[in-house]
Amino acid sequence: MVEDNASTPSFARWWRQVLFVPLLHSKWLTTDSKARLTEAVTRAERGHRGEVFLIVENHLPIQEAYRMNCRERAIDLFSEYRVWDTEENTGVLIYVNVCERKLEIVADRGISAHVSPTVWNAMCEKAVSGIATQKTEESLAELLDEVGQVLRQYYHLDHDPEGNELSDTVVFLK
């Protein structure tokens, strides 16, 4: 299935990024919450050959915000952090944009062959609903668990001899 990821230029999106004050919106992402989310990534990766990668970003890069939406940014980061470069093409990027209140899941072709975009979209919507009720960390931890369950369903493995291909550490882009 081919998705049209091209966004339309938007001055409104650009202004939201310019006027965004990270200090007011990113208080939830403490050192402890990053550590707990990193542990949630580690748990999500147990029992399968997939790789889960979590990126939280305050806002889109100002120079890109006029012409780039969150989906395009997620795809760029999927490439930049080499989530696509796993042995069995089973990398999954979870991208959270705090300013836009958006969450995107980008799955590599190995897992996309098994899981429809509607499943990923439903997971995103559920997490965004939790984030809207100020339960950001809990919602992301639950989403990570759900992604891990999906990966175990298609790439189950009792013992993972290859180990971890990508870091489990949460990436926070200010």
Side-chain angles (χ1 to χ4, degrees):
M1 180 174 155
V2 176
E3 292 181 31
D4 182 17
N5 294 317
S7 66
T8 48
S10 169
F11 279 117
R13 181 177 52 238
W14 183 80
W15 274 110
R16 280 192 302 274
Q17 310 313 302
V18 169
L19 298 174
F20 181 76
V21 180
L23 216 79
L24 300 176
H25 302 282
S26 296
K27 293 178 184 175
W28 66 272
L29 194 59
T30 64
T31 303
D32 289 341
S33 65
K34 281 190 236 177
R36 287 189 295 270
L37 286 171
T38 296
E39 178 55 34
V41 170
T42 302
R43 282 192 311 273
E45 289 188 348
R46 288 189 186 128
H48 58 79
R49 285 290 301 130
E51 289 292 324
V52 182
F53 201 78
L54 175 61
I55 296 178
V56 177
E57 184 170 48
N58 273 331
H59 56 81
L60 296 168
I62 301 299
Q63 67 275 16
E64 306 287 334
Y66 172 70
R67 61 178 163 59
M68 178 185 282
N69 65 19
C70 290
R71 182 71 183 170
E72 289 174 316
R73 178 68 172 155
I75 291 168
D76 282 354
L77 293 170
F78 183 81
S79 175
E80 183 178 329
Y81 283 89
R82 301 178 63 90
V83 180
W84 57 268
D85 194 20
T86 61
E87 179 78 26
E88 296 178 37
N89 299 312
T90 56
V92 177
L93 170 73
I94 299 170
Y95 170 74
V96 180
N97 186 288
V98 178
C99 176
E100 292 292 305
R101 297 182 183 148
K102 298 261 185 183
L103 192 144
E104 296 286 343
I105 296 177
V106 181
D108 205 351
R109 63 188 175 271
I111 191 67
S112 287
H114 301 290
V115 182
S116 90
T118 55
V119 172
W120 299 123
N121 289 336
M123 288 179 176
C124 286
E125 288 173 16
K126 182 180 174 188
V128 168
S129 294
I131 291 168
T133 62
Q134 306 301 315
K135 296 181 179 175
T136 305
E137 183 183 337
E138 296 87 348
S139 297
L140 290 176
E142 189 174 314
L143 174 63
L144 288 163
D145 181 56
E146 290 174 1
V147 169
Q149 289 175 27
V150 167
L151 287 166
R152 275 187 284 284
Q153 183 177 353
Y154 296 102
Y155 291 94
H156 179 76
L157 188 63
D158 290 326
H159 174 66
D160 185 358
E162 295 300 316
N164 209 3
E165 294 181 69
L166 299 172
S167 171
D168 293 350
T169 304
V170 175
V171 174
F172 179 55
L173 303 174
K174 298 178 183 192

